[in-house]
Amino acid sequence: MRAARLLDVRSGRYVERAVVVVRGDTIESVGTSVPPGMPVVDLGDRTLLPGLIDTHTHVLLQGDATQAEYEQQILKEYPAHRVARAVRALKIALDHGSTTMRDLETEGAGYDDVALRDAVNEGVIPGPRLQVAGPALSTTGTYPILHFRPDWKFPVGVQTCDGADGCRRAVREQLSYGTDWVKVYSNTGGLHTTEDGYVDSPPNWTKEELAAVVSEAHGRGAKVAAHATSDTGARMAVEAGVDSIEHGNSIRPELAREMARKGIFLSPTIAVLAYVADPRAKEGRQIWSEIPRSHAKSVENCRKAGVKIAFGTDAGGFPWTEINQATEFEHEVRLGMTPLEAIRSSTTVAAEVLGLARRAGVVEKGAWADLVAGPGDPLRDVRVMSRVDFVMKAGEVVRRPVP
Ligand SMILES: [Zn+2]
């Protein structure tokens, strides 16, 4: 592979007239000269970067800005239809440059994410390599579908578990089906603003329940991601020792420092918030017009405290077909990150969350040959990241520029 420049994401410097030698699924060397006799893919005036990593997606979801949209998918769509649309989502994600994703819960589609991950690995369908969570965990009465007639049984978008023993059992059961992560909803309902401009809610769990989930997962080599959108939700998740906080709509400076100390990542999912805030506020859920401000402050607190911020979009919370995941880069920069920090969030930092450091997120000898390229200088204008037109995953070209 030859291109006008390669961004070394570690140093933040460009290598001009870069040559990346790929053998099989691995990068053999990075330099400026082509070894004799090697076929060359010349990308011309493009910037080469490591394949992108999105640490928060839902391939089995197709946008749920309103309750009605969510209920439509959970109650009415046939499982095969959802899987078919997930297959399309995987192709879209790969074409936009995501070579690796952490898909964080199926929203009523059981363990179909495990099957999709395996189908991608088998080469049956194109897609990013996946780490998956199956159904997320939450407690009874805390997650939709709620408030439908009580004498009928309706599906819930999560697996519910209660009590420390019940939660241990749920984690054991989930991991037995082949999931990589456990996702918990640390808080959901009852969001309200606080006097100092943050967001709070009651917790979904007791301390004992959350501790049981985390210790059971960690004991079996799995990691835990916590949806935490309130002060209490985030505090309890951090205290329980989860590995990543998702969304993080309310993180005061002292909690941010605690996250940094414990090495807990933040996946801020700014793109989805921009997408859902208005429709949800218009639906009568006023809190959604306040959340973006509290969220921006929280991201800033985390940045200042040195929390590792991992690129996460919540794609699927917005429609795969309408919004490119890479718009998250622009949102990250809007909230104060530099373009280089934003690019690292989706490469070196994201690889660290997934336990793939040195294999993914870098263009270096020994890493997977996951590469993207596009025209322009992403350090000057991060919107370039939405214009990726070349994608290689594990040494295989999956998208080439249209001449
Ligand atoms: Zn999500």
Side-chain angles (χ1 to χ4, degrees):
M1 317 289 313
R2 182 163 53 195
R5 67 204 82 78
L6 159 75
L7 179 63
D8 177 341
V9 288
R10 285 194 207 275
S11 70
R13 292 206 191 90
Y14 284 120
V15 179
E16 304 292 333
R17 290 179 295 281
V19 172
V20 180
V21 178
V22 171
R23 197 180 292 274
D25 64 357
T26 303
I27 293 171
E28 189 170 272
S29 66
V30 180
T32 51
S33 58
V34 180
M38 268 239 168
V40 178
V41 177
D42 197 331
L43 293 167
D45 188 20
R46 284 189 172 69
T47 303
L48 260 176
L49 297 140
L52 307 177
I53 303 169
D54 190 338
T55 69
H56 189 133
T57 65
H58 303 276
V59 293
L60 284 146
L61 202 61
Q62 310 298 328
D64 67 333
T66 64
Q67 211 165 315
E69 284 176 354
Y70 187 76
E71 288 170 3
Q72 161 73 24
Q73 295 178 65
I74 299 294
L75 295 172
K76 294 192 179 164
E77 272 175 20
Y78 291 9
H81 192 174
R82 293 189 67 181
V83 169
R85 299 216 283 182
V87 168
R88 178 179 63 180
L90 287 166
K91 174 80 167 78
I92 292 170
L94 188 61
D95 280 347
H96 285 160
S98 288
T99 47
T100 304
M101 299 197 309
R102 181 178 63 159
D103 201 67
L104 276 185
E105 110 116 325
T106 57
E107 308 283 359
Y111 293 90
D112 286 347
D113 55 352
V114 174
L116 288 162
R117 176 198 66 195
D118 295 350
V120 168
N121 289 344
E122 272 178 31
V124 177
I125 51 170
R129 74 175 64 73
L130 296 173
Q131 293 186 1
V132 300
L137 295 176
S138 198
T139 47
T140 298
T142 56
Y143 202 85
I145 307 290
L146 290 169
H147 312 305
F148 278 35
R149 51 183 292 183
D151 57 327
W152 284 18
K153 191 93 184 122
F154 289 95
V156 179
V158 292
Q159 177 172 357
T160 56
C161 63
D162 299 286
D165 286 349
C167 293
R168 284 190 189 279
R169 187 196 155 90
V171 171
R172 289 172 189 167
E173 182 190 319
Q174 291 206 336
L175 294 177
S176 81
Y177 289 119
T179 51
D180 308 292
W181 282 78
V182 173
K183 180 180 180 191
V184 292
Y185 280 87
S186 194
N187 67 278
T188 39
L191 289 170
H192 56 268
T193 47
T194 62
E195 273 174 18
D196 59 343
Y198 287 94
V199 179
D200 207 3
S201 77
N204 283 356
W205 309 84
T206 63
K207 268 187 190 180
E208 291 71 28
E209 287 169 329
L210 216 43
V213 169
V214 173
S215 76
E216 198 62 36
H218 285 174
R220 287 160 194 268
K223 290 194 270 189
V224 182
H227 165 111
T229 57
S230 78
D231 179 70
T232 300
R235 264 190 305 109
M236 287 185 69
V238 168
E239 200 177 316
V242 302
D243 300 278
S244 67
I245 293 287
E246 307 304 310
H247 317 299
N249 294 350
S250 188
I251 300 174
R252 290 192 175 87
E254 51 284 15
L255 187 65
R257 287 194 289 274
E258 185 64 6
M259 284 173 69
R261 196 182 64 75
K262 287 187 153 179
I264 298 173
F265 293 83
L266 171 70
S267 178
T269 68
I270 315 163
V272 79
L273 188 52
Y275 179 76
V276 302
D278 275 357
R280 288 184 182 173
K282 284 196 188 105
E283 224 181 12
R285 295 188 273 170
Q286 264 316 310
I287 184 80
W288 285 96
S289 57
E290 311 285 340
I291 288 173
R293 250 194 311 268
S294 158
H295 183 247
K297 259 199 307 193
S298 303
V299 172
E300 175 67 11
N301 294 340
C302 285
R303 236 186 119 231
K304 277 192 186 147
V307 173
K308 291 175 190 169
I309 297 178
F311 185 95
T313 61
D314 217 355
F318 55 80
W320 290 93
T321 49
E322 285 171 31
I323 297 174
N324 183 339
Q325 286 158 283
T327 54
E328 181 79 13
F329 288 103
E330 294 158 49
H331 290 295
E332 286 185 332
V333 169
R334 175 171 58 82
L335 293 198
M337 291 168 73
T338 66
L340 181 60
E341 281 175 342
I343 292 166
R344 282 177 179 154
S345 78
S346 180
T347 53
T348 48
V349 179
E352 211 184 319
V353 185
L354 303 188
L356 300 175
R358 287 182 297 279
R359 282 302 262 162
V362 285
V363 182
E364 286 172 8
K365 180 181 159 61
W368 280 314
D370 292 350
L371 297 162
V372 300
D377 178 351
L379 295 183
R380 277 221 188 110
D381 179 3
V382 86
R383 284 176 300 181
V384 164
M385 301 305 291
S386 300
R387 297 198 284 267
V388 160
D389 61 0
F390 170 85
V391 181
M392 171 182 272
K393 181 194 158 200
E396 217 179 296
V397 177
V398 291
R399 183 177 177 191
R400 332 178 157 264
V402 181

